[in-house]
Amino acid sequence: MLLLALDTATPAVTVALHDGTSVVASSSQVDARRHGELLLPAVDRVLAEAGTRLDSVTGIVVGVGPGPYTGLRVGLMTADTFGLALGVPVHGVCTLDGLAYASDLTVPFVVATDARRKEVYWARYDDSRTRVTEPAVDRPAHIAEAVADLPAIGAGALLYPDTFPQAREPEHVTAAALASLAVEKLAAGEELPAPRPLYLRRPDAQVPKNYKVVTPK
């Protein structure tokens, strides 16, 4: 097994290789505006660090969000392209689950990432491997009662300390955590979700309504 994992659902552009036993190479850069520029060089860097080639990869793991439309689709399209070119399976993993897994918490807690527009993407967990709510997008004040007194991790939690007073690291997901979680689930015989995006809301760019037709009749 050699899994290539990547995620662009948060400001972190993160890539890792996992050989089924441990992470053999990884890279993470935080830049919310350069996902498309940074992802493929990061893949090349990780492959070089591991001393292997892309055609040695036996599977792809990709974070499916939730996340902003533009950044998220960079990782998903790249994962799909690799899967088709290599003829290997592409596995989706919820980005929030990757953050939860990296926390290694054994008590109930919340994961919250920055959804912009003064909102967060969030979900509740019983422990680092057990999500108990579906991912959602909300204004922090609207979920204050639901997350009261719970530890919270992620950039969204750190951004709104009034709602998440027990906010802590990690701030962003890492592909290393996604890969390790995927390996654990696959070894247990669990089926991973399809690599389809969790947008949770419509993109900012939309076709205007009632626009004027200027083509000749």
Coordinates of all heavy atoms in Angstrom, one line a residue, residues 43-139:
V43 N 3.1 17.9 -4.1 CA 3.1 16.4 -4.5 C 4.5 16.0 -4.9 O 5.0 15.0 -4.5 CB 2.0 16.2 -5.6 CG1 2.2 14.7 -6.1 CG2 0.6 16.4 -5.0
D44 N 5.1 16.8 -5.8 CA 6.4 16.4 -6.3 C 7.4 16.4 -5.2 O 8.3 15.5 -5.1 CB 6.9 17.5 -7.4 CG 6.1 17.4 -8.7 OD1 5.6 16.3 -8.9 OD2 6.2 18.3 -9.5
R45 N 7.3 17.3 -4.3 CA 8.2 17.4 -3.1 C 8.1 16.2 -2.2 O 9.1 15.6 -1.8 CB 8.0 18.7 -2.4 CG 9.0 19.0 -1.3 CD 8.9 20.5 -0.9 NE 7.6 20.9 -0.5 CZ 6.8 21.7 -1.2 NH1 7.2 22.2 -2.4 NH2 5.6 22.1 -0.8
V46 N 6.9 15.8 -2.0 CA 6.6 14.7 -1.1 C 7.1 13.4 -1.7 O 7.7 12.5 -1.1 CB 5.1 14.6 -0.7 CG1 4.8 13.2 -0.1 CG2 4.8 15.7 0.2
L47 N 6.8 13.2 -3.0 CA 7.3 12.0 -3.7 C 8.8 11.9 -3.7 O 9.4 10.9 -3.5 CB 6.8 12.0 -5.2 CG 5.3 11.8 -5.3 CD1 4.9 12.1 -6.8 CD2 4.9 10.4 -5.0
A48 N 9.5 13.1 -3.9 CA 11.0 13.1 -3.9 C 11.5 12.8 -2.6 O 12.5 12.1 -2.4 CB 11.4 14.5 -4.4
E49 N 10.9 13.3 -1.5 CA 11.3 13.1 -0.2 C 11.2 11.6 0.2 O 12.1 11.0 0.9 CB 10.5 13.9 0.8 CG 10.9 13.7 2.3 CD 10.0 14.5 3.3 OE1 9.4 15.5 2.8 OE2 10.0 14.1 4.4
A50 N 10.2 10.9 -0.3 CA 10.0 9.5 -0.1 C 10.8 8.6 -1.0 O 10.9 7.4 -0.8 CB 8.5 9.2 -0.2
G51 N 11.4 9.2 -2.0 CA 12.2 8.5 -3.0 C 11.4 7.5 -3.8 O 11.8 6.4 -4.1
T52 N 10.2 8.0 -4.3 CA 9.4 7.2 -5.1 C 8.7 8.0 -6.2 O 9.0 9.2 -6.3 CB 8.2 6.5 -4.2 OG1 7.6 5.6 -5.0 CG2 7.3 7.6 -3.7
R53 N 7.9 7.4 -7.0 CA 7.3 8.0 -8.2 C 5.8 7.9 -8.1 O 5.3 7.1 -7.3 CB 7.8 7.3 -9.5 CG 9.2 7.5 -9.8 CD 9.7 6.4 -10.8 NE 8.8 6.2 -11.9 CZ 8.9 6.7 -13.1 NH1 10.0 7.4 -13.4 NH2 8.1 6.4 -14.1
L54 N 5.1 8.8 -8.8 CA 3.7 8.8 -8.7 C 3.1 7.5 -9.2 O 2.0 7.1 -8.6 CB 3.2 10.0 -9.6 CG 1.6 10.2 -9.6 CD1 1.2 10.6 -8.2 CD2 1.3 11.3 -10.6
D55 N 3.7 6.8 -10.1 CA 3.1 5.6 -10.6 C 3.2 4.4 -9.6 O 2.8 3.3 -9.9 CB 3.6 5.2 -12.0 CG 5.2 5.1 -12.0 OD1 5.8 5.0 -10.9 OD2 5.7 5.0 -13.1
S56 N 3.9 4.7 -8.5 CA 4.0 3.7 -7.4 C 2.8 3.8 -6.5 O 2.6 2.9 -5.6 CB 5.3 3.8 -6.6 OG 6.4 3.6 -7.5
V57 N 2.0 4.8 -6.5 CA 0.9 5.1 -5.6 C -0.2 4.0 -5.9 O -0.5 3.8 -7.1 CB 0.4 6.5 -5.8 CG1 -0.9 6.7 -5.1 CG2 1.4 7.5 -5.3
T58 N -0.8 3.5 -4.9 CA -1.8 2.5 -5.0 C -3.2 3.0 -4.7 O -4.2 2.3 -4.9 CB -1.5 1.2 -4.1 OG1 -1.5 1.6 -2.8 CG2 -0.2 0.6 -4.5
G59 N -3.3 4.2 -4.2 CA -4.6 4.8 -3.9 C -4.4 6.3 -3.5 O -3.3 6.7 -3.1
I60 N -5.5 7.0 -3.6 CA -5.6 8.4 -3.4 C -6.6 8.7 -2.2 O -7.6 8.1 -2.2 CB -6.0 9.3 -4.6 CG1 -5.2 8.9 -5.8 CG2 -5.8 10.8 -4.3 CD1 -3.7 9.2 -5.8
V61 N -6.2 9.6 -1.3 CA -7.1 10.0 -0.2 C -7.2 11.5 -0.4 O -6.2 12.2 -0.5 CB -6.5 9.6 1.2 CG1 -7.4 10.2 2.3 CG2 -6.5 8.1 1.3
V62 N -8.4 12.0 -0.4 CA -8.6 13.5 -0.5 C -9.6 14.0 0.5 O -10.7 13.4 0.7 CB -9.0 13.8 -2.0 CG1 -10.4 13.1 -2.3 CG2 -9.1 15.3 -2.2
G63 N -9.3 15.1 1.1 CA -10.3 15.8 1.9 C -11.4 16.3 1.1 O -11.2 17.1 0.2
V64 N -12.7 16.0 1.6 CA -13.9 16.4 0.8 C -14.5 17.7 1.4 O -15.6 18.1 1.0 CB -14.9 15.3 0.7 CG1 -14.3 14.1 0.0 CG2 -15.4 14.9 2.1
G65 N -13.9 18.3 2.4 CA -14.5 19.4 3.0 C -15.2 19.1 4.3 O -15.0 18.0 4.8
P66 N -16.1 20.0 4.7 CA -16.6 21.2 4.0 C -15.5 22.2 3.9 O -14.6 22.3 4.7 CB -17.7 21.7 4.9 CG -17.4 21.1 6.3 CD -16.7 19.8 6.0
G67 N -15.6 23.0 2.8 CA -14.7 24.1 2.6 C -15.2 25.0 1.5 O -16.2 24.7 0.8
P68 N -14.5 26.2 1.3 CA -14.9 27.1 0.2 C -14.8 26.5 -1.1 O -13.9 25.6 -1.4 CB -13.9 28.2 0.4 CG -13.4 28.1 1.8 CD -13.4 26.7 2.1
Y69 N -15.6 26.9 -2.0 CA -15.8 26.2 -3.4 C -14.5 26.2 -4.1 O -14.1 25.1 -4.6 CB -16.8 27.0 -4.2 CG -17.1 26.5 -5.5 CD1 -17.9 25.4 -5.8 CD2 -16.5 27.1 -6.6 CE1 -18.1 24.9 -7.0 CE2 -16.7 26.7 -7.9 CZ -17.5 25.6 -8.1 OH -17.7 25.1 -9.4
T70 N -13.8 27.3 -4.3 CA -12.6 27.4 -5.1 C -11.5 26.5 -4.6 O -10.9 25.7 -5.3 CB -12.1 28.8 -5.3 OG1 -13.2 29.6 -5.8 CG2 -10.9 28.9 -6.2
G71 N -11.1 26.7 -3.3 CA -10.1 25.9 -2.8 C -10.4 24.4 -2.8 O -9.5 23.6 -3.2
L72 N -11.6 24.0 -2.4 CA -11.9 22.6 -2.3 C -11.8 21.9 -3.6 O -11.3 20.8 -3.7 CB -13.3 22.5 -1.7 CG -13.9 21.1 -1.4 CD1 -12.9 20.3 -0.5 CD2 -15.2 21.2 -0.7
R73 N -12.3 22.5 -4.7 CA -12.3 21.8 -5.9 C -10.9 21.6 -6.5 O -10.7 20.6 -7.3 CB -13.2 22.6 -6.9 CG -12.6 23.9 -7.4 CD -13.5 24.5 -8.4 NE -13.0 25.8 -8.9 CZ -13.6 26.5 -9.9 NH1 -14.6 26.1 -10.5 NH2 -13.0 27.7 -10.2
V74 N -9.9 22.4 -6.1 CA -8.6 22.1 -6.6 C -8.1 20.7 -6.1 O -7.6 20.0 -6.9 CB -7.6 23.2 -6.0 CG1 -6.2 22.8 -6.3 CG2 -7.9 24.6 -6.6
G75 N -8.3 20.4 -4.8 CA -7.8 19.1 -4.4 C -8.6 18.0 -4.9 O -8.1 16.9 -5.3
L76 N -10.0 18.2 -5.0 CA -10.8 17.1 -5.5 C -10.5 16.8 -7.0 O -10.5 15.6 -7.4 CB -12.3 17.5 -5.3 CG -12.7 17.3 -3.8 CD1 -14.0 18.1 -3.6 CD2 -12.9 15.9 -3.5
M77 N -10.4 17.8 -7.8 CA -10.1 17.6 -9.2 C -8.7 17.0 -9.4 O -8.6 16.1 -10.3 CB -10.2 18.9 -10.0 CG -11.6 19.5 -10.1 SD -12.7 18.3 -10.9 CE -12.0 18.3 -12.6
T78 N -7.8 17.4 -8.6 CA -6.4 16.8 -8.7 C -6.5 15.3 -8.3 O -5.9 14.5 -9.0 CB -5.5 17.5 -7.8 OG1 -5.4 18.9 -8.2 CG2 -4.1 16.9 -7.9
A79 N -7.2 15.0 -7.2 CA -7.3 13.6 -6.8 C -8.0 12.8 -7.9 O -7.6 11.6 -8.2 CB -8.1 13.6 -5.5
D80 N -9.1 13.3 -8.5 CA -9.8 12.5 -9.5 C -8.9 12.3 -10.7 O -8.9 11.2 -11.3 CB -11.1 13.3 -9.9 CG -12.2 13.0 -9.0 OD1 -12.2 12.1 -8.2 OD2 -13.2 13.8 -9.1
T81 N -8.1 13.3 -11.1 CA -7.2 13.2 -12.2 C -6.2 12.1 -12.0 O -5.9 11.3 -12.8 CB -6.6 14.5 -12.5 OG1 -7.6 15.5 -12.8 CG2 -5.7 14.4 -13.7
F82 N -5.6 12.2 -10.8 CA -4.6 11.1 -10.4 C -5.2 9.7 -10.5 O -4.6 8.8 -11.0 CB -4.0 11.4 -9.0 CG -3.0 12.5 -9.0 CD1 -2.7 13.2 -7.8 CD2 -2.3 13.0 -10.1 CE1 -1.8 14.2 -7.7 CE2 -1.4 14.0 -10.1 CZ -1.1 14.6 -8.9
G83 N -6.4 9.6 -9.9 CA -7.0 8.3 -9.9 C -7.3 7.8 -11.2 O -7.0 6.6 -11.5
L84 N -7.8 8.6 -12.2 CA -8.0 8.2 -13.5 C -6.7 7.8 -14.3 O -6.6 6.8 -15.0 CB -8.8 9.2 -14.3 CG -10.2 9.4 -13.9 CD1 -10.8 10.7 -14.6 CD2 -11.1 8.2 -14.3
A85 N -5.7 8.7 -14.1 CA -4.4 8.4 -14.8 C -3.7 7.2 -14.3 O -3.1 6.5 -15.1 CB -3.5 9.7 -14.6
L86 N -3.8 6.9 -13.0 CA -3.1 5.8 -12.4 C -3.9 4.5 -12.4 O -3.4 3.4 -12.1 CB -2.6 6.1 -11.0 CG -1.7 7.3 -10.9 CD1 -1.4 7.7 -9.4 CD2 -0.3 7.0 -11.6
G87 N -5.2 4.7 -12.5 CA -6.1 3.5 -12.4 C -6.2 3.0 -11.0 O -6.3 1.8 -10.8
V88 N -6.2 3.9 -10.0 CA -6.3 3.5 -8.6 C -7.5 4.1 -8.0 O -8.0 5.1 -8.4 CB -5.0 4.0 -7.9 CG1 -3.7 3.3 -8.5 CG2 -4.8 5.5 -7.9
P89 N -8.0 3.6 -6.8 CA -9.1 4.1 -6.2 C -8.9 5.5 -5.5 O -7.8 5.8 -5.1 CB -9.5 3.1 -5.1 CG -8.2 2.3 -4.9 CD -7.5 2.3 -6.2
V90 N -9.9 6.3 -5.5 CA -9.8 7.6 -4.8 C -10.8 7.6 -3.7 O -12.0 7.4 -3.9 CB -10.2 8.7 -5.8 CG1 -10.1 10.1 -5.1 CG2 -9.3 8.7 -7.0
H91 N -10.3 7.8 -2.5 CA -11.1 7.7 -1.2 C -11.4 9.1 -0.7 O -10.4 9.9 -0.6 CB -10.5 6.9 -0.2 CG -10.1 5.5 -0.6 ND1 -11.0 4.5 -0.9 CD2 -8.8 5.0 -0.9 CE1 -10.3 3.4 -1.2 NE2 -9.0 3.7 -1.3
G92 N -12.6 9.5 -0.3 CA -12.9 10.7 0.3 C -12.8 10.6 1.8 O -13.2 9.6 2.4
V93 N -12.4 11.7 2.5 CA -12.4 11.7 4.0 C -12.9 13.1 4.3 O -12.4 14.1 3.8 CB -11.0 11.4 4.6 CG1 -11.1 11.6 6.1 CG2 -10.6 10.0 4.2
C94 N -13.8 13.2 5.3 CA -14.3 14.6 5.7 C -13.1 15.3 6.3 O -12.4 14.8 7.2 CB -15.4 14.4 6.7 SG -15.9 15.9 7.5
T95 N -12.9 16.5 5.9 CA -11.8 17.3 6.4 C -11.9 17.5 7.9 O -10.8 17.5 8.7 CB -11.7 18.7 5.7 OG1 -11.5 18.4 4.3 CG2 -10.6 19.6 6.2
L96 N -13.1 17.7 8.4 CA -13.3 17.9 9.9 C -12.8 16.6 10.6 O -12.3 16.7 11.7 CB -14.7 18.2 10.2 CG -15.3 19.5 9.6 CD1 -16.8 19.7 10.0 CD2 -14.5 20.7 9.9
D97 N -13.1 15.5 10.0 CA -12.7 14.2 10.7 C -11.2 14.1 10.8 O -10.6 13.6 11.7 CB -13.2 13.0 9.9 CG -14.7 12.9 9.9 OD1 -15.4 13.6 10.7 OD2 -15.3 12.0 9.2
G98 N -10.5 14.6 9.8 CA -9.0 14.6 9.8 C -8.5 15.5 10.9 O -7.5 15.1 11.6
L99 N -9.1 16.7 11.1 CA -8.7 17.5 12.3 C -9.0 16.8 13.6 O -8.2 16.9 14.5 CB -9.5 18.8 12.2 CG -8.8 20.0 11.5 CD1 -9.8 21.1 11.2 CD2 -7.7 20.5 12.4
A100 N -10.2 16.2 13.7 CA -10.5 15.5 14.9 C -9.5 14.4 15.2 O -9.1 14.3 16.4 CB -11.9 14.9 14.8
Y101 N -9.2 13.6 14.2 CA -8.2 12.5 14.4 C -6.9 13.0 14.9 O -6.3 12.4 15.8 CB -8.1 11.8 13.1 CG -7.2 10.6 13.1 CD1 -7.7 9.4 13.5 CD2 -5.9 10.6 12.8 CE1 -7.0 8.2 13.5 CE2 -5.1 9.5 12.8 CZ -5.6 8.3 13.2 OH -4.8 7.1 13.2
A102 N -6.4 14.2 14.4 CA -5.1 14.7 14.8 C -5.2 15.2 16.3 O -4.1 15.3 16.9 CB -4.7 15.8 13.9
S103 N -6.4 15.5 16.8 CA -6.5 16.0 18.2 C -6.2 15.0 19.2 O -5.7 15.3 20.3 CB -7.9 16.6 18.4 OG -8.8 15.5 18.6
D104 N -6.5 13.7 18.9 CA -6.3 12.6 19.8 C -7.1 12.7 21.1 O -6.7 12.2 22.1 CB -4.8 12.3 20.0 CG -4.5 10.9 20.4 OD1 -5.2 10.0 19.9 OD2 -3.5 10.6 21.2
L105 N -8.2 13.5 21.1 CA -9.0 13.7 22.3 C -9.8 12.5 22.5 O -10.3 11.8 21.6 CB -9.9 14.9 22.1 CG -9.2 16.3 22.2 CD1 -10.1 17.4 21.8 CD2 -8.6 16.5 23.5
T106 N -10.1 12.2 23.8 CA -10.9 11.0 24.2 C -12.2 11.5 24.9 O -12.9 10.7 25.5 CB -10.1 10.1 25.1 OG1 -9.6 10.8 26.3 CG2 -8.9 9.5 24.4
V107 N -12.5 12.8 24.9 CA -13.7 13.3 25.5 C -14.5 14.0 24.4 O -13.9 14.4 23.3 CB -13.3 14.3 26.6 CG1 -12.6 13.6 27.7 CG2 -12.5 15.5 26.1
P108 N -15.8 14.3 24.6 CA -16.5 15.1 23.6 C -15.9 16.4 23.3 O -15.5 17.1 24.2 CB -17.9 15.2 24.3 CG -18.0 14.0 25.2 CD -16.6 13.8 25.7
F109 N -16.0 16.8 22.0 CA -15.4 18.1 21.6 C -16.0 18.5 20.3 O -16.8 17.8 19.7 CB -13.9 18.0 21.5 CG -13.3 17.1 20.4 CD1 -12.9 17.6 19.2 CD2 -13.3 15.7 20.6 CE1 -12.4 16.8 18.2 CE2 -12.8 14.9 19.6 CZ -12.4 15.4 18.4
V110 N -15.6 19.7 19.8 CA -16.1 20.3 18.6 C -14.9 20.6 17.7 O -13.8 21.0 18.1 CB -16.9 21.6 18.9 CG1 -17.4 22.2 17.6 CG2 -18.0 21.3 19.8
V111 N -15.1 20.4 16.4 CA -14.2 20.9 15.4 C -14.9 22.0 14.6 O -16.0 21.9 14.2 CB -13.8 19.7 14.4 CG1 -12.9 20.3 13.2 CG2 -13.0 18.6 15.1
A112 N -14.2 23.1 14.4 CA -14.7 24.2 13.7 C -13.6 24.9 12.8 O -12.6 25.2 13.3 CB -15.3 25.3 14.7
T113 N -13.9 25.0 11.5 CA -13.0 25.6 10.6 C -13.7 26.9 10.1 O -14.9 27.1 10.2 CB -12.7 24.7 9.4 OG1 -13.9 24.4 8.7 CG2 -12.0 23.5 9.9
D114 N -12.9 27.8 9.6 CA -13.3 29.1 9.1 C -14.1 29.0 7.8 O -13.5 28.6 6.8 CB -12.2 30.1 9.0 CG -12.6 31.5 8.6 OD1 -13.8 31.8 8.7 OD2 -11.7 32.3 8.1
A115 N -15.4 29.3 7.8 CA -16.2 29.3 6.6 C -16.3 30.6 5.9 O -17.1 30.8 5.0 CB -17.6 28.7 6.9
R116 N -15.6 31.6 6.5 CA -15.7 33.0 6.0 C -17.2 33.5 6.2 O -18.0 32.8 6.8 CB -15.3 33.1 4.6 CG -13.9 32.6 4.3 CD -13.5 32.6 2.8 NE -12.3 31.9 2.6 CZ -11.8 31.6 1.4 NH1 -12.5 32.0 0.3 NH2 -10.7 31.0 1.2
R117 N -17.5 34.7 5.8 CA -18.8 35.4 6.0 C -19.2 35.3 7.5 O -20.4 35.2 7.8 CB -19.9 34.7 5.2 CG -19.6 34.6 3.7 CD -20.8 34.0 3.0 NE -20.5 33.5 1.7 CZ -21.3 32.8 0.9 NH1 -22.5 32.5 1.4 NH2 -21.0 32.4 -0.3
K118 N -18.2 35.3 8.4 CA -18.5 35.3 9.8 C -19.2 34.0 10.2 O -20.0 34.0 11.2 CB -19.3 36.5 10.3 CG -18.5 37.8 10.0 CD -19.3 39.0 10.6 CE -18.5 40.3 10.3 NZ -19.2 41.5 10.8
E119 N -18.9 32.9 9.5 CA -19.5 31.6 9.8 C -18.4 30.6 10.0 O -17.2 30.8 9.7 CB -20.4 31.2 8.7 CG -21.6 32.0 8.5 CD -22.5 31.6 7.4 OE1 -22.0 31.1 6.4 OE2 -23.8 31.8 7.5
V120 N -18.8 29.4 10.6 CA -17.8 28.3 10.7 C -18.5 27.0 10.2 O -19.7 26.8 10.2 CB -17.4 28.0 12.2 CG1 -16.6 29.2 12.7 CG2 -18.7 27.8 13.1
Y121 N -17.6 26.1 9.6 CA -18.0 24.8 9.4 C -17.7 24.0 10.7 O -16.6 24.1 11.2 CB -17.2 24.2 8.2 CG -17.4 24.8 6.9 CD1 -16.3 25.5 6.3 CD2 -18.6 24.8 6.2 CE1 -16.5 26.1 5.0 CE2 -18.8 25.5 5.0 CZ -17.7 26.1 4.4 OH -17.9 26.7 3.2
W122 N -18.6 23.2 11.1 CA -18.4 22.5 12.4 C -19.1 21.2 12.5 O -20.0 20.9 11.7 CB -18.9 23.4 13.5 CG -20.4 23.6 13.6 CD1 -21.2 24.3 12.8 CD2 -21.2 22.9 14.6 NE1 -22.5 24.2 13.2 CE2 -22.6 23.4 14.3 CE3 -21.0 22.1 15.6 CZ2 -23.7 22.9 15.0 CZ3 -22.1 21.7 16.4 CH2 -23.4 22.1 16.1
A123 N -18.7 20.4 13.5 CA -19.3 19.1 13.8 C -18.9 18.8 15.3 O -17.8 19.2 15.7 CB -19.0 18.0 12.9
R124 N -19.7 17.9 15.9 CA -19.4 17.5 17.3 C -18.9 16.0 17.2 O -19.3 15.2 16.3 CB -20.6 17.5 18.2 CG -21.0 18.9 18.6 CD -22.2 18.9 19.6 NE -21.9 18.1 20.7 CZ -22.6 18.1 21.9 NH1 -23.6 19.0 22.0 NH2 -22.3 17.4 22.9
Y125 N -18.0 15.7 18.2 CA -17.4 14.4 18.2 C -17.4 13.9 19.7 O -17.3 14.6 20.6 CB -15.9 14.5 17.8 CG -15.7 14.8 16.3 CD1 -15.9 16.1 15.9 CD2 -15.4 13.8 15.4 CE1 -15.8 16.4 14.5 CE2 -15.3 14.1 14.0 CZ -15.5 15.4 13.6 OH -15.4 15.7 12.3
D126 N -17.6 12.5 19.8 CA -17.5 11.9 21.1 C -16.0 11.7 21.5 O -15.7 11.6 22.7 CB -18.3 10.6 21.1 CG -19.7 10.8 21.4 OD1 -20.1 11.9 21.9 OD2 -20.5 9.8 21.3
D127 N -15.2 11.4 20.5 CA -13.8 11.3 20.6 C -13.1 11.5 19.3 O -13.8 11.9 18.3 CB -13.4 9.9 21.2 CG -13.9 8.7 20.4 OD1 -13.7 8.7 19.1 OD2 -14.6 7.9 20.9
S128 N -11.8 11.3 19.2 CA -11.1 11.7 18.0 C -11.5 10.9 16.7 O -11.2 11.3 15.6 CB -9.6 11.7 18.2 OG -9.2 10.3 18.5
R129 N -12.2 9.8 16.9 CA -12.6 8.9 15.8 C -14.1 8.8 15.6 O -14.5 8.1 14.7 CB -12.0 7.5 16.0 CG -10.5 7.5 15.9 CD -9.9 6.2 16.5 NE -8.5 6.0 16.3 CZ -7.6 6.7 17.0 NH1 -7.9 7.5 18.0 NH2 -6.3 6.5 16.7
T130 N -14.9 9.5 16.4 CA -16.3 9.3 16.4 C -17.1 10.6 16.2 O -17.2 11.3 17.2 CB -16.8 8.6 17.7 OG1 -16.0 7.4 17.9 CG2 -18.3 8.1 17.5
R131 N -17.5 10.9 15.0 CA -18.3 12.1 14.8 C -19.8 11.8 15.1 O -20.3 10.7 14.7 CB -18.2 12.6 13.4 CG -19.1 13.7 13.0 CD -18.5 14.5 11.8 NE -18.1 13.7 10.7 CZ -18.9 13.2 9.7 NH1 -20.2 13.5 9.8 NH2 -18.4 12.5 8.7
V132 N -20.5 12.7 15.8 CA -21.9 12.4 16.2 C -22.9 13.3 15.6 O -24.1 13.2 15.8 CB -22.0 12.4 17.7 CG1 -21.2 11.3 18.4 CG2 -21.6 13.8 18.3
T133 N -22.4 14.3 14.8 CA -23.3 15.2 14.0 C -22.8 15.3 12.6 O -21.6 15.1 12.4 CB -23.5 16.6 14.7 OG1 -22.2 17.3 14.6 CG2 -23.9 16.5 16.1
E134 N -23.7 15.6 11.7 CA -23.3 15.9 10.3 C -22.6 17.3 10.3 O -22.9 18.2 11.0 CB -24.5 15.9 9.4 CG -25.1 14.5 9.2 CD -24.2 13.6 8.6 OE1 -23.5 13.9 7.6 OE2 -24.1 12.4 9.1
P135 N -21.6 17.4 9.4 CA -21.0 18.8 9.2 C -22.1 19.8 8.9 O -23.0 19.5 8.1 CB -20.1 18.5 8.0 CG -19.8 17.1 8.1 CD -21.0 16.4 8.5
A136 N -21.9 21.0 9.4 CA -22.9 22.1 9.2 C -22.1 23.4 9.1 O -20.9 23.5 9.4 CB -23.9 22.2 10.4
V137 N -22.8 24.4 8.6 CA -22.3 25.8 8.5 C -23.2 26.7 9.2 O -24.4 26.7 9.0 CB -22.0 26.2 7.1 CG1 -23.3 26.2 6.2 CG2 -21.4 27.6 7.0
D138 N -22.7 27.5 10.2 CA -23.5 28.4 11.0 C -22.7 29.6 11.5 O -21.4 29.5 11.5 CB -24.0 27.6 12.2 CG -25.1 26.6 11.9 OD1 -26.2 27.1 11.6 OD2 -24.9 25.4 12.0
R139 N -23.4 30.6 11.9 CA -22.8 31.7 12.6 C -22.4 31.2 14.1 O -23.2 30.5 14.7 CB -23.7 32.9 12.7 CG -23.8 33.6 11.4 CD -24.6 34.9 11.5 NE -24.6 35.6 10.2 CZ -23.7 36.5 9.8 NH1 -22.6 36.8 10.6 NH2 -23.8 37.1 8.6

